[in-house]
Amino acid sequence: MSLTKVIKINPVLLDEAHIKEAAKVITSGGLVIIPTETVYGVAASASNNNALDRLYEVKQRPKDKPFALLVADNEMVEELARDIPLAAYKLMRKFWPGPLTIILNAVKGGKIGLRMPDNQVVLEIIYEAQVPLACPSANISDHSAPVDFAQAIKDLDGLVDLAIDAGQTKLGVESTVVDLTVEPLKILRSGAIKDDQIMAAVKSKKILFVCTGNSCRSVMAEAYLKKLLAKQGRTDVEVSSAGMMALEGMGASEETREVLAKDGIDVSDHRTKRVTKELVDGADIILVMEKIHEERILQLAPEVKNRLFLLKEFARINDSNLNIADPIGGSFEFYQEIFYTIKDAVERISKII
């Protein structure tokens, strides 16, 4: 007979009452065994020192070994960490939610390990509790990490308040741990994500073109650079576009489609998207069409200052006017003229990126 209360959860069809119960135990300072996609963990509120002390005791873990925290979104990361490098945003975008723990400089000093698990049970508990979770593997220190519920409850029955049985974990392998507080980054533990996948993600480049509506200029620049990179056989550069005032989900303007079609480019599947902080934070190079775009992006994310350029400026075009006019509402000939300007700039940058 179990000494700890056990509840079974269908990970595909979540029971809201069970999520609320687990979150309540955690916010009250209790310990809960939870499933993740890697191994089972034992969770405590990261903001409750008494709960953390108890977690160290239950785990028989030395207090000089800090716990990594589970988070549910990037906002939590930015509340907990400082001086977040671009490589961290790249890895978060590529592998989160998933089996990757990143080490960053903590807001409160020292270092902090963070992961967004690919498990809806855990994410819902974090959202409900509104607190990041300290969550080491559900075992006594130095014992094997548990990949199913029977292994998880074996060492901890009676020592934790609640245990969630969601069957076998999806991966059964611990997360990969990457230290991003050092340059170059250091892989501290090779886990579910291979070392070469980590390095490829960090080395890849992401270029973001920005205009106003994401229906004309940025579409032209994105499409033409993709065409050039394909000709060069380049697969290490990811290209996208967005608009400062874009209405989500619209197509490119009819004139843009026609101008690009004359150059053999089909953008019929393009859908507009609005610029977000997450988009610009994750880009290596942000290329905008007008000074006003530059100013608005700096208001949104001042930390990207050294990665933000006017397209003509980055292309090293010697022109007294570095803005590229918006052709929206103009004649087809004006669209064509704007495309020629963008085409010239993009051909130049394709040789320097």
Side-chain angles (χ1 to χ4, degrees):
M1 180 178 176
S2 177
L3 300 173
T4 294
K5 182 177 180 181
V6 176
I7 55 178
K8 284 201 171 191
I9 279 186
N10 181 339
V12 178
L13 192 61
L14 298 186
D15 185 323
E16 186 178 348
H18 289 155
I19 297 296
K20 286 181 179 295
E21 182 177 359
K24 186 176 180 181
V25 170
I26 287 170
T27 55
S28 300
L31 304 183
V32 180
I33 292 176
I34 59 174
T36 77
E37 80 279 27
T38 56
V39 298
Y40 271 81
V42 55
S45 167
S47 62
N48 187 316
N49 289 333
N50 291 333
L52 295 176
D53 286 343
R54 190 175 160 208
L55 186 56
Y56 274 109
E57 183 180 344
V58 164
K59 285 274 299 178
Q60 300 176 28
R61 182 178 174 122
K63 284 205 170 180
D64 60 353
K65 290 183 67 178
F67 297 120
L69 306 187
L70 299 184
V71 298
D73 52 44
N74 285 4
E75 284 185 18
M76 283 188 174
V77 174
E78 291 174 350
E79 289 171 0
L80 294 163
R82 62 178 173 82
D83 304 329
I84 302 171
L86 176 60
Y89 286 107
K90 286 184 177 184
L91 293 176
M92 288 190 285
R93 187 177 68 240
K94 178 73 175 178
F95 298 114
W96 279 11
L100 173 68
T101 300
I102 56 174
I103 309 295
L104 299 171
N105 288 309
V107 168
K108 294 182 178 178
K111 299 181 181 182
I112 189 169
L114 301 169
R115 182 165 87 87
M116 186 190 298
D118 185 16
N119 184 292
Q120 203 56 36
V121 174
V122 184
L123 293 176
E124 292 297 329
I125 290 173
I126 297 173
Y127 280 128
E128 182 66 26
Q130 297 187 358
V131 66
L133 304 180
C135 190
S137 55
N139 58 298
I140 304 299
S141 290
D142 299 328
H143 291 194
S144 299
V147 298
D148 62 34
F149 183 74
Q151 294 174 10
I153 195 69
K154 176 174 168 287
D155 284 346
L156 303 178
D157 197 4
L159 299 177
V160 300
D161 304 287
L162 185 67
I164 296 175
D165 180 358
Q168 189 90 15
T169 60
K170 186 165 67 176
L171 299 177
V173 180
E174 290 182 293
S175 67
T176 296
V177 180
V178 180
D179 187 349
L180 291 156
T181 67
V182 294
E183 183 67 39
L185 64 80
K186 189 173 182 180
I187 298 175
L188 301 181
R189 181 175 73 194
S190 296
I193 300 172
K194 304 303 179 193
D195 294 7
D196 57 349
Q197 292 177 282
I198 295 291
M199 298 314 297
V202 171
K203 289 178 180 176
S204 68
K205 288 181 182 171
K206 181 163 184 174
I207 294 177
L208 174 67
F209 291 103
V210 174
C211 66
T212 303
N214 192 213
S215 62
C216 305
R217 293 168 289 178
S218 59
V219 181
M220 294 177 186
E222 176 190 358
Y224 192 62
L225 182 56
K226 283 180 174 175
K227 178 181 177 177
L228 293 180
L229 293 172
K231 277 186 179 177
Q232 296 170 9
R234 299 273 302 271
T235 58
D236 59 328
V237 182
E238 184 182 344
V239 188
S240 63
S241 64
M244 297 305 304
M245 300 176 67
L247 297 173
E248 295 278 346
M250 308 290 284
S253 71
E254 183 178 343
E255 293 85 352
T256 299
R257 292 199 302 271
E258 290 178 9
V259 164
L260 290 172
K262 287 182 66 178
D263 216 82
I265 300 172
D266 178 9
V267 292
S268 58
D269 61 349
H270 172 77
R271 291 295 176 267
T272 54
K273 59 176 178 281
R274 186 181 286 258
V275 169
T276 63
K277 187 175 186 304
E278 186 176 359
L279 265 182
V280 295
D281 276 340
D284 293 271
I285 303 170
I286 305 151
L287 299 173
V288 302
M289 303 297 157
E290 297 181 61
K291 193 69 178 174
I292 186 68
H293 303 143
E294 199 172 53
E295 293 168 359
R296 295 283 172 81
I297 288 175
L298 285 175
Q299 290 171 1
L300 180 70
E303 68 274 12
V304 305
K305 180 180 179 182
N306 295 332
R307 296 182 265 136
L308 176 63
F309 307 91
L310 288 161
L311 175 55
K312 277 186 177 178
E313 173 192 20
F314 192 75
R316 299 170 187 167
I317 292 176
N318 187 15
D319 192 334
S320 59
N321 180 11
L322 292 177
N323 291 325
I324 298 177
D326 191 346
I328 194 75
S331 65
F332 179 80
E333 289 71 25
F334 188 44
Y335 269 85
Q336 189 73 64
E337 180 186 330
I338 294 301
F339 178 54
Y340 287 148
T341 300
I342 290 173
K343 191 174 177 180
D344 177 34
V346 170
E347 283 177 354
R348 291 169 184 248
I349 69 169
S350 72
K351 297 170 184 173
I352 58 178
I353 58 175

